[in-house]
């Protein structure tokens, strides 16, 4: 468990900056503003549970915005299932016509690091807002992304049923994690994934996703890591992934089936995401062909068509629109 406490000896602006760093590290980079920094206090703790992480925050009133610019700079590609333990908050997804969701004690809300959102809390001096966040890597969640996106920003009651079971389980897991072995923590994280998946499926009016064994979950993580490490190899495809892990193509396809995204589609998406980020990174303007080749594309035309199909603009338009000016900050 890691804990970050805002020391009283710091100035208000230093405490805000320390908390902003904790949020960037444990959730995702966000733009955080505080009206009264001299009175701002915060605390953050994090517990690693195998494939997932559990973060607990306590803080004074603030406003936070996960902006499109910050998403382009850094995206951990994860879902976050947040529980309001005490206090209240208002969450708004960018592009939702300004209609936010009011969340109170006991409510869950799902958001992800790839969609812009805002949230605001107003806390009393003697009663800071408390939020617990279960961080789920996108590739670990056994539900299709297009289905999960329907739940983003919605209030999910947590005072009964699976919502309450998940709340109590995570509280116990965090409290006892210090006396657990790494293998124990992996089991705890797997159970948290299963419970979270069942909870989200319940609100999608669908069946609970199939449970994965610890071995299957570990194998899937190895496959994901292998794909990420070899995106620049143009020979990377489902057959080479299966061969590298001593499994049949059919077994590989079945393992990915519950995600709602095939292996080839995953490889193409991750390559495009790396190109998308590199084209607008700081430094000298990169050549589009060189970027495409570096991330495994063998045809400039195929890369350009795939990029436009995913992002709605050509690679050149994306680079010219979003790159920072020469010598300037993004």
């Amino acid at each position: 468990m890691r804990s970050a406490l805002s020391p009283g000896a710091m100035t208000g602006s230093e405490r805000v900056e320390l908390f902003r760093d904790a949020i960037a590290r444990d959730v995702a980079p966000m733009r955080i503003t505080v009206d009264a920094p001299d009175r701002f206090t915060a605390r953050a703790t994090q517990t690693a549970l195998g494939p997932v992480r559990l973060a607990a925050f306590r803080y004074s009133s603030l406003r936070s915005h996960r902006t499109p610019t910050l998403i382009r700079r850094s995206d951990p590609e994860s879902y976050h299932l947040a529980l309001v333990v005490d206090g209240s908050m208002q969450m708004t997804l960018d592009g939702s016509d300004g209609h936010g969701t009011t969340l109170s004690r006991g409510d869950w809300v799902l958001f992800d690091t790839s969609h812009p959102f805002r949230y605001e809390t107003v806390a009393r001096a003697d009663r800071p807002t408390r939020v617990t966040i279960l961080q789920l890597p996108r590739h670990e969640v056994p539900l299709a992304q297009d289905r999960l996106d329907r739940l983003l920003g919605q209030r999910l009651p947590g005072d009964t049923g699976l919502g309450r079971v998940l709340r109590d389980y995570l509280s116990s897991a965090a409290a006892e994690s210090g006396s657990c072995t790494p293998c124990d923590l992996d089991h705890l994280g797997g159970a948290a994934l299963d419970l979270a998946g069942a909870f989200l499926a319940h609100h999608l009016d669908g069946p609970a996703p199939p449970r994965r064994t610890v071995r299957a979950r570990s194998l899937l993580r190895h496959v994901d890591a292998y794909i990420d490490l070899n995106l620049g190899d143009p020979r990377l495809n489902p057959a080479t992934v299966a061969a590298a892990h001593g499994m049949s193509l059919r077994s590989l396809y079945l393992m990915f089936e519950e995600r709602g995204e095939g292996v080839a589609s995953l490889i193409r998406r991750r390559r495009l995401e790396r190109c998308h980020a590199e084209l607008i990174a700081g430094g000298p303007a990169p050549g589009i062909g060189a970027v495409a080749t570096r991330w495994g594309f063998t045809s400039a035309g195929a890369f350009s068509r795939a990029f436009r199909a995913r992002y709605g603009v050509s690679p050149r338009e994306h680079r010219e629109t979003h790159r920072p000016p020469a010598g300037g900050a993004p």
Side-chain angles (χ1 to χ4, degrees):
M1 176 180 290
R2 181 172 67 230
S3 175
L5 178 64
S6 300
M10 286 185 167
T11 66
S13 59
E14 288 172 334
R15 289 196 296 272
V16 173
E17 189 61 32
L18 181 64
F19 183 70
R20 186 181 289 118
D21 289 344
I23 290 290
R25 181 189 63 228
D26 295 339
V27 181
M30 298 186 200
R31 180 181 296 161
I32 295 175
T33 55
V34 175
D35 289 333
D38 289 342
R39 297 195 296 273
F40 181 78
T41 60
R43 183 183 177 109
T45 62
Q46 186 194 99
T47 305
L49 299 174
V52 303
R53 292 186 298 172
L54 188 61
F57 299 99
R58 185 177 67 194
Y59 47 82
S60 309
S61 301
L62 57 79
R63 292 182 298 277
S64 183
H65 185 193
R66 173 77 170 150
T67 68
T69 298
L70 290 173
I71 291 172
R72 287 193 296 270
R73 287 189 206 169
S74 173
D75 185 6
E77 299 181 10
S78 58
Y79 284 104
H80 294 252
L81 190 55
L83 171 70
V84 181
V85 179
D86 202 5
S88 63
M89 61 190 294
Q90 182 88 5
M91 174 165 280
T92 305
L93 300 182
D94 284 15
S96 59
D97 301 323
H99 298 300
T101 301
T102 299
L103 304 161
S104 303
R105 180 176 181 176
D107 289 338
W108 291 93
V109 64
L110 181 71
F111 61 96
D112 83 340
T113 59
S114 303
H115 289 80
F117 63 86
R118 306 167 188 263
Y119 73 82
E120 179 175 0
T121 64
V122 178
R124 299 195 326 232
D126 61 338
R127 187 181 176 185
T129 298
R130 295 169 56 206
V131 179
T132 296
I133 300 178
L134 179 63
Q135 302 164 49
L136 309 162
R138 185 179 296 160
H139 59 266
E140 292 280 5
V141 182
L143 290 165
Q145 183 177 336
D146 59 341
R147 296 184 65 211
L148 276 176
D149 285 354
R150 301 177 210 162
L151 294 180
L152 294 177
Q154 294 187 27
R155 172 183 171 271
L156 306 174
D159 52 356
T160 60
L162 281 171
R164 184 169 182 174
V165 171
L166 180 60
R167 179 198 69 189
D168 293 345
Y169 174 79
L170 294 179
S171 177
S172 297
E176 299 300 327
S177 62
S179 59
C180 293
T181 67
C183 184
D184 294 335
L185 293 174
D186 201 59
H187 282 285
L188 290 176
L193 267 174
D194 290 335
L195 282 173
F199 173 61
L200 294 170
H202 169 78
H203 287 283
L204 288 168
D205 296 322
R211 296 182 70 248
R212 296 187 190 136
T213 65
V214 172
R215 182 180 180 280
R217 192 174 286 115
S218 176
L219 177 59
L220 190 54
R221 286 205 298 274
H222 280 291
V223 169
D224 277 313
Y226 178 85
I227 289 173
D228 280 340
L229 286 171
N230 291 277
L231 287 173
D233 186 347
R235 296 167 298 180
L236 182 70
N237 58 39
T240 59
V241 172
H245 293 83
M247 59 195 307
S248 68
L249 263 177
R250 175 173 171 75
S251 296
L252 181 68
Y253 289 147
L254 288 174
M255 188 167 65
F256 275 78
E257 195 172 73
E258 63 189 52
R259 285 186 177 178
E261 181 179 34
V263 187
S265 296
L266 174 73
I267 293 171
R268 182 172 59 253
R269 174 174 64 81
R270 290 189 180 174
R271 282 173 168 161
L272 287 171
E273 288 169 348
R274 301 305 187 274
C275 294
H276 182 272
E278 186 172 339
L279 285 170
I280 59 172
I288 292 172
V291 171
T293 300
R294 184 156 40 250
W295 292 109
F297 289 96
T298 57
S299 164
F303 166 64
S304 184
R305 289 191 296 273
F307 194 97
R308 182 180 289 277
R310 180 164 181 81
Y311 297 109
V313 295
S314 71
R316 188 175 304 278
E317 290 168 336
H318 171 65
R319 185 183 64 182
E320 293 174 354
T321 301
H322 297 293
R323 271 187 64 79

